[in-house]
Amino acid sequence: MEALHEEMPFDLDFHPSAPLVATSLITGELHLFRYADALQPERLFAAKAHKESCRAVRFVDSGTVILTGSADSSILASDVETGKAIARLEDAHDNAINRLVCLTETTVASGDDEGCIKVWDTRKRSCCNTFHCHEDYISDMTYVAGSNQILATSGDGTLSVNNLRGSRVKAQSEFSEDELLSLVVMKNGQKVVCGTPSGALLLYSWGHFKDCSDRFLGHSQSVDTLLKLDEETLISGAADGVIRLVSILPNQIKQPLAEHSEYPIEALGFSHDRKYLGSISHDKILKLWDMEELLGGPQLDGHDELPEAAAAADHDELPEASVAVDHKVAEADSDDDGMDVDMEPSSSTASKSKKKGKGKRVNGFQPDFFADL
């Protein structure tokens, strides 16, 4: 199943309980689709949500509200039935917004082009924390509920661990040679996997973030988005347009799953029942792939690293689509959050990327956050 946009989509998100998927476009538009078995997605509405590009989209408040973040620095809440604006938070950041992630039922985090992460208290309707240890755009974020921390990757080539309990940056890696573009937490919280422009996957051990513990050189081009399938396996979306199934420890590209005709993959996501994998790309197409068909295909025999030439040869057989205070990095203390090593950041030599932001998943946001703004 697939749906064509007139302009390039930046992000997608699936409804938490209904067969709906939303996409955000470079034009600032918000699109909503309904999908069903064996039918092409039906576009329910296309709304002009922002003046500039809409980089992040998330269903919140049990799917009754769609939250979007934009290059115009605003956050918008829209009604899922009509697409009409419910409320808008202008100038939520000083710079373009790339990422949104829900932390709890009453807190939401956003990340921008200049490396700033803001945490919003939906009860007080205000910014309660600001973390600004990065020197370039926030490329990805995820929330670790057990230790109450936000993990973030940045274009400056570092991974940060931001402690909400102590309102401080708990740890930050040294600057890698590559920008860090995407991340997932694997192996029951023991490993953090990051994608890079060179195609390498960097593996960090939990609590030891100063440098990566392993590098997996399985992709020939930039790994722009990662999606966790289970504790042992992830799905990668790369700049060569191929979506791959990847095993972590042992590190192995198990098989190519699908493709977007050599157009870079922007975002991946699962439907609420995990029956479909959604993907968007520079080809302007939203594709919905049946997971049973994708994973039911033959597994590739091979070594820990799949030669890209072999992967390319398989492309022809791929299936078709069916507060508000800046915090410096703190020294180690006695917080009982599972962290056992903290580091001070090094000086950056990374250059700013031309590519700013993509997006991931948010749940449980309270729409009254915007009510009195």
Side-chain angles (χ1 to χ4, degrees), residues 87-292:
R88 185 187 301 271
L89 179 60
E90 299 284 1
D91 300 321
H93 282 252
D94 293 333
N95 300 279
I97 297 172
N98 290 327
R99 280 291 182 268
L100 295 168
V101 61
C102 184
L103 311 180
T104 69
E105 292 185 355
T106 58
T107 52
V108 175
S110 53
D112 70 21
D113 263 5
E114 296 301 322
C116 179
I117 300 172
K118 289 190 175 184
V119 179
W120 306 90
D121 188 322
T122 61
R123 296 163 299 182
K124 298 179 180 179
R125 304 182 180 93
S126 63
C127 178
C128 58
N129 274 306
T130 299
F131 301 98
H132 207 162
C133 63
H134 292 289
E135 299 179 10
D136 209 331
Y137 68 100
I138 301 298
S139 57
D140 203 359
M141 292 190 296
T142 190
Y143 176 60
V144 182
S147 56
N148 199 26
Q149 296 175 135
I150 302 171
L151 271 62
T153 52
S154 171
D156 65 12
T158 67
L159 166 69
S160 68
V161 182
N162 304 278
N163 191 315
L164 296 173
R165 183 179 300 130
S167 299
R168 65 190 185 87
V169 179
K170 180 71 174 178
Q172 186 173 10
S173 71
E174 293 182 346
F175 294 94
S176 66
E177 297 177 357
D178 276 340
E179 301 172 4
L180 300 185
L181 303 178
S182 49
L183 83 154
V184 289
V185 179
M186 305 285 291
K187 296 289 182 178
N188 298 304
Q190 297 303 306
K191 294 291 180 180
V192 179
V193 183
C194 300
T196 67
S198 69
L201 295 181
L202 304 187
L203 278 64
Y204 292 85
S205 295
W206 188 266
H208 302 273
F209 292 103
K210 185 176 183 180
D211 197 4
C212 64
S213 59
D214 197 5
R215 293 172 62 92
F216 174 32
L217 306 177
H219 299 77
S220 64
Q221 297 188 37
S222 174
V223 181
D224 296 330
T225 180
L226 295 172
L227 181 65
K228 180 177 178 179
L229 179 63
D230 54 43
E231 296 300 334
E232 315 296 328
T233 316
L234 60 82
I235 297 173
S236 66
D240 59 4
V242 181
I243 301 169
R244 295 174 173 87
L245 186 67
V246 182
S247 170
I248 299 298
L249 296 177
N251 298 331
Q252 177 186 11
I253 294 183
K254 301 180 71 173
Q255 67 180 96
L257 293 177
E259 53 87 28
H260 273 263
S261 302
E262 300 182 357
Y263 288 92
I265 308 297
E266 276 291 331
L268 299 170
F270 285 127
S271 61
H272 67 93
D273 54 6
R274 295 175 71 91
K275 182 176 182 180
Y276 294 105
L277 169 68
S279 61
I280 53 172
S281 170
H282 289 203
D283 60 8
K284 305 177 183 178
I285 299 176
L286 162 69
K287 293 189 177 184
L288 303 181
W289 313 87
D290 189 299
M291 285 298 295
E292 184 176 353

Side-chain angles (χ1 to χ4, degrees), residues 57-75:
V57 59
R58 296 293 178 269
F59 284 96
V60 296
D61 192 31
S62 300
T64 61
V65 175
I66 305 175
L67 195 67
T68 52
S70 170
D72 63 16
S73 303
S74 69
I75 298 175

Side-chain angles (χ1 to χ4, degrees), residues 343-362:
M343 290 75 67
E344 296 287 343
S346 307
S347 60
S348 173
T349 57
S351 60
K352 176 171 279 191
S353 171
K354 294 180 181 178
K355 188 175 184 180
K356 297 284 189 176
K358 294 178 290 287
K360 289 202 170 30
R361 186 166 304 277
V362 179

